[in-house]
Amino acid sequence: MYAGAFLGPFGGGITAAMLPELGATYGVTPATAAASITSYLLPFAGLMLVSGTLGERWGRRRAVVIGYVVYAVAALAAVVAPTFELFLAARVVQGAANAFTTPLLLAAVGATAAPGRLGRALGWFGSLQSAGHTSAPLLGGLAAEVDWRWAFVGVAVSSAVLAVVGIPHTDPGPRTGLAAALRSAVRPEVLRLGLVAAVGWGLVAGLAFLVALRLEDAFAVSAGTRGLVLTALGVVGLLSARLVGGAVDRIGPRRTVLIGTALGAFVVAGAGLAPAVGLIAAIWALGGLAGQLLLVGVNSIVLAPGRENAGGAMSVVQAVRFSGMALAPAVITPIYRTDPLAAFLVPALLVAVVVPLALPRPNRPRVEDGAVAE
């Protein structure tokens, strides 16, 4: 399950460092080749609204295994695609297949975690996801030095192996009708948790483009140095996720989210106010810790024992989260063009205010005749 956590974001970001080579192969510009990232993320985010619920109805193990098989076939289709349009179609299928693995893997982790250790299990899952995000450009770029197609061969082989291995049988009991199952996933509490993830993660880690713009405009930093600064967030997220999971088990997921919120607001504001590149890099690295505090905390709340349609709820939260990341550039870039500092302070304020307000409060037990009622 942890290997699957790595594979999804790795496959999504693997083309980021090979855009010139892709463009040369298909006779398009590197900017046009960047559509290989969008074509993966759009179906991934869109289908996640329903993929978890559908997977719960079909059976978690069956849905995940089929998702891995389709992912492998799509990766091989990308290897042999004769035109850029067919290559993009293969990426669309890859993104769609990933939508049927990530939320169900999270639900399976929640179902198999030992009592009192859910945070640690989700911390490891988050750590492997960060590893996939961080290593994809590096390994994809190294493969492109020889032939970019080898990167997709590796993805296909890995996905096929995971399909053979499968996941533990963690399927819940008989499911209700599809409409009822979808209603159980799209509850106000779940949507609020999705908003927390969208604002908390999307306006912290999702502002990497904004940090890159400031580094270039204010300090004339080269592309290589910008990439190095931005990578720091992923590295710290990778190293801290396991510790964050332990913190969730000790102090509770809600407090963890609130701590991540305070740190995230500081990171965003600090990245806009810091007067030196080194200080920006140090502050931005803390964003990896803030992001893990937010995400592992939110995932722990979603997967708390007794959650009906856990896979469906998780897929809704993840869909809203990635939608927030997708909207961040469109919303924040116009502010940056008007006032660069405001482009950092406005998101910092939104994180500090919206997340605590949107975060659901824990259900309190009812007290009857001096005893706690279940």
Side-chain angles (χ1 to χ4, degrees):
M1 290 187 288
Y2 293 145
F6 178 94
L7 183 63
F10 180 83
I14 200 170
T15 64
M18 59 174 68
L19 299 181
E21 288 77 12
L22 279 174
T25 298
Y26 292 112
V28 299
T29 65
T32 301
S36 61
I37 300 174
T38 304
S39 61
Y40 183 101
L41 290 176
L42 284 180
F44 172 63
L47 280 175
M48 283 247 280
L49 282 171
V50 297
S51 60
T53 296
L54 292 173
E56 293 279 26
R57 285 181 54 78
W58 299 335
R60 287 177 191 162
R61 193 175 192 279
R62 178 188 301 174
V64 169
V65 169
I66 292 174
Y68 281 145
V69 171
V70 174
Y71 201 86
V73 172
L76 291 177
V79 171
V80 300
T83 66
F84 187 61
E85 290 74 18
L86 290 176
F87 176 83
L88 290 182
R91 292 290 286 168
V92 168
V93 175
Q94 268 194 302
N98 190 23
F100 285 89
T101 58
T102 296
L104 295 171
L105 287 172
L106 279 163
V109 168
T112 56
R117 299 183 68 87
L118 176 60
R120 290 174 175 83
L122 292 176
W124 277 112
F125 195 95
S127 180
L128 269 294
Q129 283 190 311
S130 293
H133 279 294
T134 304
S135 63
L138 173 63
L139 296 180
L142 291 175
E145 293 287 341
V146 181
D147 189 330
W148 61 264
R149 294 176 180 85
W150 283 112
F152 284 88
V153 171
V155 168
V157 171
S158 300
S159 188
V161 170
L162 289 174
V164 173
V165 173
I167 64 171
H169 289 281
T170 62
D171 296 328
R175 308 305 300 167
T176 57
L178 179 58
L182 287 173
R183 285 196 299 271
S184 71
V186 189
R187 293 178 178 272
E189 178 200 6
V190 174
L191 293 174
R192 289 174 66 178
L193 288 169
L195 178 61
V196 168
V199 174
W201 177 262
L203 293 183
V204 178
L207 295 186
F209 74 95
L210 191 64
V211 176
L213 287 175
R214 182 168 189 241
L215 289 173
E216 181 180 8
D217 295 342
F219 302 98
V221 170
S222 67
T225 303
R226 292 197 302 271
L228 187 62
V229 170
L230 298 181
T231 301
L233 181 143
V235 172
V236 171
L238 166 62
L239 297 176
S240 64
R242 172 66 178 81
L243 298 176
V244 169
V248 170
D249 291 332
R250 288 192 300 273
I251 67 175
R254 194 172 191 278
R255 290 180 181 175
T256 307
V257 171
L258 293 175
I259 293 171
T261 299
L263 182 58
F266 165 78
V267 166
V268 177
L273 292 167
V277 173
L279 187 56
I280 292 175
I283 292 173
W284 184 245
L286 290 175
L289 174 59
Q292 291 298 345
L293 287 164
L294 284 157
L295 286 184
V296 177
V298 167
N299 290 343
S300 297
I301 296 173
V302 176
L303 296 176
R307 170 78 63 183
E308 183 183 0
N309 190 7
M314 180 56 67
S315 69
V316 170
V317 170
Q318 296 298 313
V320 179
R321 169 195 163 196
F322 281 101
S323 297
M325 290 188 67
L327 288 173
V331 173
I332 302 301
T333 301
I335 301 177
Y336 180 81
R337 290 172 180 163
T338 302
D339 187 336
L341 180 58
F344 287 90
L345 297 182
V346 169
L349 181 63
L350 288 174
V351 171
V353 173
V354 173
V355 172
L357 290 176
L359 187 63
R361 295 187 177 276
N363 294 324
R364 297 185 181 276
R366 294 181 292 108
V367 179
E368 298 179 356
D369 299 328
V372 176
E374 290 292 332

